[in-house]
Amino acid sequence: TEEHSMRVFRILKNSFQVKDEEILAAGITHDLLEDTLVTQQELETKTSKRVVQIVQEISHPRGATHLEKIDYYRQLISVSDEAKLVKLADYLANLEWNLNVIKNRELDKYPFLNDPTEYMNTLKAFLDSCRSSYPEATALVTEMMEKVENLSRK
């Protein structure tokens, strides 16, 4: 959603201290290829090739099945460092949302959060691949992930 995209942008800018405008733009547009009808060609007419490349790297195929998404999450360990930074912000925004759902006892609305084990395992592998390039950002995401895991066990 627009709100999520802006949250990713704010995390990149404020929490991760990103100054690079193209990485910030990738944060805002990171879900366009997988969650809307916008095509790569359309995105290329609106922004730089570098932004499009970052967005492509972190986009799963539109309409991907659960298994395809798990495969996509596993492949994130090999994306560029720029794409990893945007994905770290995306994960942090998603984990904050997950934490709020759990705190507000709304799990019945989002049953996929009842057993986040597979998701968390792929996230941990991704975080391991980011630690050397982005230790502070990785630490923030790890901390939020641990909060979600601890609260979901209760």
Side-chain angles (χ1 to χ4, degrees):
T1 66
E2 182 179 332
E3 183 180 304
H4 170 72
S5 295
M6 289 309 297
R7 179 73 186 128
V8 170
F9 169 81
R10 284 192 292 279
I11 288 169
L12 285 166
K13 187 171 176 59
N14 301 329
S15 301
F16 297 176
Q17 303 295 304
V18 171
K19 307 271 187 267
D20 185 310
E21 291 183 5
E22 288 181 309
I23 292 177
L24 294 171
I28 292 172
T29 59
H30 77 279
D31 276 341
L32 285 178
L33 296 180
E34 64 186 46
D35 291 344
T36 72
L37 297 178
V38 172
T39 66
Q40 177 186 334
Q41 293 76 19
E42 290 170 320
L43 190 56
E44 287 172 349
T45 66
K46 305 291 182 194
T47 191
S48 72
K49 287 183 187 243
R50 182 172 170 230
V51 170
V52 174
Q53 177 62 37
I54 293 168
V55 171
Q56 272 185 302
E57 285 186 82
I58 59 173
S59 295
H60 61 68
R62 189 178 295 127
T65 66
H66 174 73
L67 290 176
E68 289 170 333
K69 286 181 183 179
I70 295 300
D71 189 48
Y72 151 79
Y73 290 131
R74 288 186 181 126
Q75 292 178 22
L76 286 173
I77 62 171
S78 61
V79 300
S80 69
D81 280 350
E82 294 169 326
K84 283 181 180 179
L85 188 58
V86 174
K87 193 63 188 174
L88 281 166
D90 181 35
Y91 272 131
L92 184 54
N94 288 335
L95 288 166
E96 288 172 346
W97 177 83
N98 293 353
L99 190 64
N100 285 327
V101 167
I102 295 166
K103 281 182 176 178
N104 295 329
R105 301 185 188 283
E106 297 177 324
L107 283 172
D108 55 319
K109 294 181 187 176
Y110 308 100
F112 64 90
L113 291 176
N114 283 312
D115 185 14
T117 307
E118 199 168 21
Y119 176 78
M120 292 299 190
N121 287 340
T122 58
L123 175 53
K124 288 174 186 173
F126 176 71
L127 292 174
D128 286 343
S129 78
C130 297
R131 224 171 291 287
S132 62
S133 299
Y134 302 111
E136 296 87 5
T138 302
L140 286 171
V141 178
T142 300
E143 181 182 332
M144 184 60 64
M145 182 186 67
E146 289 169 355
K147 286 179 183 178
V148 170
E149 284 182 315
N150 290 335
L151 199 57
S152 66
R153 287 188 195 121
K154 293 181 179 178

